[in-house]
């Protein structure tokens, strides 16, 4: 199975919106209220917000494609675009999401390896991320790849506050 990873351009905003909403819903709908999910999807995946993120020189998005179909995506941030100040010389993996039909097929690993490749090219000291404490699958994935827990923070989904486990990998 050949997975292609390609950088997303501003012309791809509608495709990014579609895969972003789809994969976030697939991942978290069962564990959250419909109202909270809808509010988060409307805010986080609005065309304006995505265009602004695509314009940001410190943020990069990549699609994972199989047979020309978008099956997942990656978002990384550096500098002032990181969602939290975790040190000057770091890279945040803000999102790695894969369509449910492709779970267990190494797509997440390929996107993760792309993020680490970029982190090494940018010569950052470490990569970091936040994973919802109830998302055991993601936490296990990152631990398997050498990440260690170092902090916690609050993530708002709608009006609900949830705890994210902060994890980092020294490079």
């Amino acid at each position: 199975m050949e997975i292609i990873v390609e950088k997303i351009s501003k012309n791809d905003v509608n495709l990014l919106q579609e895969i972003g909403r789809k994969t976030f819903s697939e991942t978290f709908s069962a564990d959250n209220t419909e109202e909270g999910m809808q509010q988060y999807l409307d805010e986080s995946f609005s065309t304006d917000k995505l265009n602004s993120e695509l314009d940001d020189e410190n943020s990069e998005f990549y699609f994972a494609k199989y047979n020309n179909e978008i099956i997942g995506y990656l978002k990384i941030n550096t500098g002032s675009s990181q969602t939290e100040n975790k040190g000057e010389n770091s890279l945040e993996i803000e999102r790695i999401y894969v369509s449910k039909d492709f779970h267990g097929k190494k797509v997440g690993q390929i996107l993760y390896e792309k993020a680490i490749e970029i982190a090494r090219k940018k010569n950052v000291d470490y990569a970091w991320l936040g994973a919802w404490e109830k998302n055991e699958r993601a936490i296990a994935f990152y631990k398997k790849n050498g990440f260690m827990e170092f902090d916690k923070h609050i993530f708002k989904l709608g009006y609900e506050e949830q705890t994210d486990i902060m994890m980092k990998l020294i490079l």
Side-chain angles (χ1 to χ4, degrees):
M1 188 164 118
E2 189 185 358
I3 306 298
I4 307 292
V5 176
E6 62 185 39
K7 193 163 186 182
I8 299 175
S9 78
K10 189 119 179 180
N11 299 336
D12 299 321
V13 69
N14 292 341
L15 298 171
L16 175 59
Q17 185 178 50
E18 192 179 312
I19 191 69
R21 292 175 68 91
K22 175 185 192 286
T23 54
F24 194 89
S25 295
E26 287 176 346
T27 305
F28 298 114
S29 284
D31 297 310
N32 289 283
T33 67
E34 195 175 322
E35 178 191 21
M37 283 296 295
Q38 197 57 55
Q39 184 181 351
Y40 182 84
L41 292 172
D42 290 347
E43 289 170 8
S44 297
F45 297 102
S46 73
T47 305
D48 287 347
K49 181 155 185 353
L50 291 175
N51 273 322
S52 152
E53 291 174 343
L54 285 164
D55 283 340
D56 184 339
E57 64 185 20
N58 291 319
S59 291
E60 297 176 32
F61 288 88
Y62 295 84
F63 283 142
K65 291 183 167 183
Y66 174 67
N67 283 346
N68 233 12
E69 175 190 355
I70 298 166
I71 59 171
Y73 77 106
L74 161 70
K75 181 184 184 204
I76 57 171
N77 301 309
T78 55
S80 60
S81 297
Q82 295 176 88
T83 57
E84 287 190 28
N85 183 357
K86 290 293 175 193
E88 287 279 313
N89 198 26
S90 59
L91 177 140
E92 175 189 18
I93 300 174
E94 186 180 350
R95 297 184 189 142
I96 292 180
Y97 284 102
V98 175
S99 185
K100 209 173 202 162
D101 296 343
F102 290 88
H103 283 186
K105 295 187 175 14
K106 306 277 186 230
V107 180
Q109 187 69 36
I110 290 166
L111 288 169
Y112 163 79
E113 286 167 6
K114 180 68 175 178
I116 297 304
E117 173 192 321
I118 294 165
R120 291 190 195 287
K121 279 184 187 163
K122 291 182 182 290
N123 204 25
V124 299
D125 296 329
Y126 63 92
W128 70 276
L129 55 91
W132 186 28
E133 64 184 351
K134 292 184 182 177
N135 191 348
E136 293 169 9
R137 189 167 197 260
I139 292 168
F141 172 81
Y142 290 114
K143 282 184 175 174
K144 179 188 86 177
N145 280 289
F147 277 72
M148 297 174 303
E149 295 180 23
F150 75 100
D151 202 354
K152 292 182 178 181
H153 77 160
I154 298 300
F155 175 84
K156 287 190 73 102
L157 190 124
Y159 298 109
E160 189 181 336
E161 290 189 350
Q162 301 179 347
T163 302
D164 274 2
I165 306 294
M166 310 298 289
M167 303 177 81
K168 74 177 170 184
L169 175 71
I170 308 291
L171 295 172

